[in-house]
Amino acid sequence: MPGGDAREAAKTVTGSLETFPYLPELPARGPGADMIGRTLGMLVEVYGHVEPSGWRISDRPGRDTRRAHSWLGEDLDALEEFTQGYEGPLKVSAVGPWTLATALELRNGEAALSDPGACRDLAGSLAEGLRGHLADVRRRVPGARVVLQLDEPSLTAVLQGRVKSASGYRTHRAVDRAVVEGALRDLVAVADGGPVVVHSCAPEVPFALLRRAGVTGISFDFALLTEREEEAIGEAVEGGTALFAGVVPGVDGRLSDPAGSVMGVRTLWRRLGLTPGTLSESVVITPSCGLAGASPGYARSVLAHCVRAARSLADNPE
């Protein structure tokens, strides 16, 4: 979300999404409130600090790690305040192990992705940290059914060997698909049977791999879909995987009418021969990606628009 006021963000989210609120991220506050910094603050016995090139792993917690803890605590306090008595799904997000490994630097300046041992350590630390984070959220909002979202925008690049080295002159070797899948499966297990969604706003989302890893839902930018993904989407729906379809632009612009926003979803359903009645059970309507780059007014409008678009899809699936 845009802005830096945790209470205002929590009030907006819980007021706009009464049946599926989430814990907002406010990266405009600076290092530690950004996507990578927030997740780094959740890790157990792994610390980081900010370099000109980005986040780098540290030997001990410093100012940047402490700031990440502080921002997260402030956000959780605000969410708790505005979810008193709430019962239902509640989404929290963290960066997934593979995007984290591409974004965090080792002491030599290379991405942790370059070191299989570092990747394993990061995934293990993340799993332990998320266990504590999910327990904290459940304690603060006892009626919540916590949905864990793992943000993995770099996942496809990791699988295809397209992550650049620190010099920029070469790329890191593609990680074996079985290794990628195994790490994600371990993170899914952290939710202890609760729903886990993997989000990627990049092209060529690996739907089949994510399903094998056991995720409950897959979140993606609908505009980036190609015919190559359609069969995988059909199989996902028939296998019971939820689709978080990003159909509403995440940056300021003119919003279409709600029915127009979901027209592409309806068309895809017909093309795949799927039962229209399953639309409201299988699809969650979302922005195409995060709203941090939007104006506060537009962000509020988008959340309300998503609710109306989802209602249109449920009321008129055909």
Side-chain angles (χ1 to χ4, degrees):
M1 291 288 284
D5 188 327
R7 292 186 73 257
E8 182 62 30
K11 181 180 179 181
T12 297
V13 166
T14 54
S16 301
L17 306 174
E18 295 178 356
T19 59
F20 198 179
Y22 60 87
L23 176 65
E25 294 178 359
L26 300 172
R29 294 179 299 195
D34 60 296
M35 185 173 78
I36 300 299
R38 164 174 278 194
T39 300
L40 186 64
M42 297 178 190
L43 300 182
V44 174
E45 296 184 358
V46 175
Y47 316 107
H49 65 277
V50 178
E51 293 279 343
S53 54
W55 283 94
R56 183 169 294 182
I57 293 174
S58 304
D59 293 324
R60 59 184 63 84
R63 179 183 59 184
D64 295 326
T65 300
R66 289 193 294 270
R67 186 185 292 120
H69 289 151
S70 177
W71 288 136
L72 179 58
E74 182 178 311
D75 294 338
L76 285 167
D77 288 345
L79 182 73
E80 183 178 3
E81 177 183 348
F82 287 99
T83 52
Q84 293 295 310
Y86 174 75
E87 296 183 356
L90 172 67
K91 186 165 72 68
V92 299
S93 302
V95 176
W98 297 107
T99 297
L100 197 63
T102 67
L104 280 181
E105 298 176 356
L106 301 173
R107 292 170 184 83
N108 63 4
E110 284 293 351
L113 185 70
S114 64
D115 183 336
C119 290
R120 288 192 295 271
D121 290 346
L122 271 180
S125 175
L126 178 60
E128 194 62 31
L130 282 175
R131 285 191 186 94
H133 179 55
L134 294 177
D136 188 18
V137 174
R138 292 179 181 122
R139 178 184 60 79
R140 290 170 178 266
V141 192
R145 183 170 67 100
V146 181
V147 178
L148 172 61
Q149 176 174 305
L150 297 173
D151 291 315
E152 283 282 19
S154 299
L155 181 59
T156 301
V158 167
L159 290 167
Q160 297 181 354
R162 292 193 283 104
V163 177
K164 290 187 176 181
S165 65
S167 68
Y169 293 120
R170 62 181 181 87
T171 56
H172 294 292
R173 183 180 303 174
V175 180
D176 184 88
R177 298 180 77 87
V179 174
V180 171
E181 182 182 323
L184 289 170
R185 187 180 296 111
D186 290 345
L187 266 296
V188 169
V190 167
D192 199 22
V196 178
V197 178
V198 170
H199 167 73
S200 175
C201 49
E204 301 179 69
V205 175
F207 287 92
L209 182 150
L210 293 173
R211 288 180 59 223
R212 290 195 302 271
V215 305
T216 313
I218 301 172
S219 174
F220 57 95
D221 183 343
F222 192 84
L224 297 179
L225 286 181
T226 66
E227 290 184 11
R228 285 179 296 181
E229 280 93 52
E230 288 190 2
E231 182 179 350
I233 287 177
E235 291 173 353
V237 172
E238 291 175 346
T241 304
L243 302 180
F244 285 58
V247 299
V248 184
V251 292
D252 288 39
R254 190 179 66 84
L255 293 172
S256 69
D257 66 286
S261 292
V262 293
M263 187 181 302
V265 179
R266 287 195 185 95
T267 301
L268 175 63
W269 231 248
R270 286 195 297 268
R271 197 159 58 240
L272 294 175
L274 297 169
T275 306
T278 63
L279 267 170
S280 60
E281 302 168 3
S282 303
V283 177
V284 177
I285 298 301
T286 75
S288 58
C289 201
L291 295 169
S295 66
Y298 181 78
R300 287 192 294 271
S301 297
V302 164
L303 296 182
H305 186 88
C306 286
V307 172
R308 291 193 295 269
R311 190 172 296 126
S312 168
L313 198 62
D315 293 345
N316 302 292
E318 299 185 71

